[in-house]
Amino acid sequence: MYLKEITMEDFTVFHRLTIKFSRGVNIFLGENGMGKTHVMKALYSACQAVKPDVSFSHKLVCVFRPDDYGIHRLVRRMNHGGRARVRVESDQQAIQASFTNRTPKWNADVFYEDAWEKQTGNTESTFIPAKEILSNAYNLSDAVRKGNVEFDDTYVDIIAAARIDISRGPGTAEQKKYLKSLQKITQGRVAMADERFYLKPGNQARIEFNLVAEGVRKIALLWQLVKNGTLEKGAVLFWDEPEANINPKYLPVLVELLLELQRNGVQIFISTHDYILAKYFELRTLLRDEVVYHSLYREEVSKDICVETEKKFSTLKHNAIMTAFSQLMDDVYHTETRT
């Protein structure tokens, strides 16, 4: 299964927006508040609804966490009509949720859910939040269920994904190549004991995850997802701001790994504010790769959020990252000419 398109009407910050996706890497750009993470969370909710025990509408409220799990709070606040719609299409089926500003709890009208659940192929989906969470994994899921702490489902789900080993038999040649590449950064492998995560550097004693630099912990999480068989052909990976807290010198390694994953059939969605990450994707992309940039921006007259999609970072007309970078270069030039 791979995702082809999403349509949102009066949903969160969007009035009407349709985005078509590449089956390879999809990179979301845009200023804060443009809804990059909202798009990915809606897509992730639809992916999770492939499971018979997961409802699309319920997953939406668990991922977005509106007050009192009220899906009505996901209706765009400027919507006077009071009805929102989210429709996600894959290469096989479609699923749609419709609700109003009076819909109680998560009781949205969901269409085509039975057909959506019958999709074939690998339907694994994983969402890596912007903030690393494995260092706080111990008893977190139980605490969330009891209402002691509030984390949305992306955090609870990634802990479960890191813990469960769904691989069969010895690792594939592709897995071993990925792991070797990632271990250049982590200098070790992930280990678990008593529901806690550790980093084990070679033959040395294990190190508590919270004693490891956060950027290394994020790469170690990716290592674990590759090792346990989560990121295999047909899977969908969502990663919110992968560059956060990661040493810039490791970004080329990360980009190459993600490109290799899409070459082997993993569909990838990323949101970023980072020039280096976005530019390295452009530089390292081969002709056979499927990489597209989706730049979200606010239209000047209507103030609605729109999208521009291009295959190259450098050809985007609405590019908040490039605008900021160009301003920096201008400031550097003027500062140096004055000294």
Side-chain angles (χ1 to χ4, degrees):
M1 181 187 84
Y2 76 91
L3 301 174
K4 290 178 61 177
E5 181 178 301
I6 187 171
T7 297
M8 297 166 291
E9 295 181 2
D10 289 316
F11 176 72
T12 64
V13 298
F14 304 105
H15 178 36
R16 288 188 180 88
L17 188 70
T18 296
I19 310 176
K20 297 181 183 297
F21 304 118
S22 158
R23 64 188 304 160
V25 180
N26 296 269
I27 305 169
F28 293 103
L29 312 172
E31 297 179 11
N32 290 333
M34 293 297 104
K36 301 182 297 297
T37 302
H38 285 197
V39 175
M40 295 204 302
K41 284 187 171 184
L43 292 170
Y44 175 68
S45 299
C47 286
Q48 289 289 295
V50 171
K51 303 173 184 178
D53 60 340
V54 177
S55 161
F56 184 29
S57 58
H58 185 255
K59 196 64 177 179
L60 281 171
V61 299
C62 289
V63 163
F64 282 90
R65 287 294 273 203
D67 287 353
D68 300 319
Y69 290 92
I71 200 169
H72 65 276
R73 295 189 61 80
L74 301 183
V75 176
R76 191 173 72 111
R77 303 302 163 89
M78 296 174 64
N79 175 15
H80 301 296
R83 178 169 290 278
R85 182 174 75 99
V86 184
R87 177 185 173 89
V88 177
E89 294 184 29
S90 74
D91 59 320
Q92 301 177 41
Q93 300 290 345
I95 192 169
Q96 178 177 306
S98 178
F99 50 93
T100 73
N101 52 19
R102 295 185 179 182
T103 300
K105 294 294 183 179
W106 50 83
N107 298 331
D109 295 321
V110 178
F111 304 91
Y112 326 120
E113 197 156 31
D114 288 343
W116 185 257
E117 292 173 2
K118 291 181 174 62
Q119 294 185 89
T120 58
N122 184 1
T123 57
E124 287 291 330
S125 57
T126 306
F127 192 111
I128 303 178
K131 183 170 179 57
E132 184 278 325
I133 194 64
L134 293 195
S135 56
N136 299 301
Y138 182 70
N139 281 342
L140 181 69
S141 299
D142 291 337
V144 170
R145 280 194 293 269
K146 292 178 181 178
N148 295 332
V149 294
E150 286 195 6
F151 282 93
D152 70 61
D153 262 17
T154 60
Y155 290 95
V156 177
D157 291 351
I158 194 60
I159 292 172
R163 282 177 175 163
I164 296 173
D165 190 346
I166 63 173
S167 60
R168 299 176 179 86
T172 64
E174 287 82 7
Q175 280 182 317
K176 292 175 181 177
K177 182 172 66 174
Y178 301 151
L179 296 175
K180 184 177 180 181
S181 176
L182 289 173
Q183 279 187 225
K184 294 177 183 177
I185 303 175
T186 62
Q187 300 295 313
R189 60 184 177 83
V190 178
M192 277 191 63
D194 300 323
E195 298 189 11
R196 290 182 170 89
F197 288 90
Y198 298 85
L199 188 67
K200 195 171 188 310
N203 295 322
Q204 301 177 36
R206 67 194 185 194
I207 304 172
E208 293 89 332
F209 236 52
N210 61 343
L211 298 181
V212 178
E214 183 166 348
V216 174
R217 295 200 302 261
K218 292 181 73 174
I219 298 298
L221 167 58
L222 189 61
W223 185 97
Q224 179 69 358
L225 295 175
V226 170
K227 179 67 172 63
N228 70 15
T230 299
L231 300 179
E232 295 187 347
K233 184 176 181 178
V236 184
L237 171 64
F238 302 89
W239 198 346
D240 198 4
E241 298 184 18
E243 74 278 1
N245 298 308
I246 291 180
N247 190 322
K249 77 175 185 178
Y250 295 135
L251 292 180
V253 178
L254 180 60
V255 167
E256 191 57 51
L257 176 80
L258 294 173
L259 287 171
E260 279 295 325
L261 283 171
Q262 68 88 32
R263 288 166 193 155
N264 287 289
V266 178
Q267 189 178 23
I268 297 172
F269 294 85
I270 291 170
S271 73
T272 183
H273 294 282
D274 190 78
Y275 173 83
I276 297 175
L277 183 77
K279 193 65 179 178
Y280 261 117
F281 268 108
E282 184 175 59
L283 295 174
R284 297 293 174 87
T285 296
L286 304 177
L287 287 176
R288 61 190 172 100
D289 295 331
E290 296 187 52
V291 177
V292 296
Y293 297 85
H294 307 285
S295 179
L296 298 171
Y297 65 96
R298 197 174 295 280
E299 205 275 327
E300 291 185 6
V301 177
S302 67
K303 303 303 180 183
D304 292 339
I305 294 175
C306 303
V307 65
E308 176 191 4
T309 298
E310 291 286 343
K311 291 185 177 181
K312 288 190 176 183
F313 177 69
S314 56
T315 58
L316 286 167
K317 296 177 182 177
H318 303 87
N319 192 334
I321 295 176
M322 199 65 232
T323 300
F325 185 77
S326 297
Q327 182 61 55
L328 172 62
M329 292 297 97
D330 288 344
D331 291 346
V332 169
Y333 173 77
H334 291 303
T335 299
E336 290 179 346
T337 55
R338 289 197 303 267
T339 57

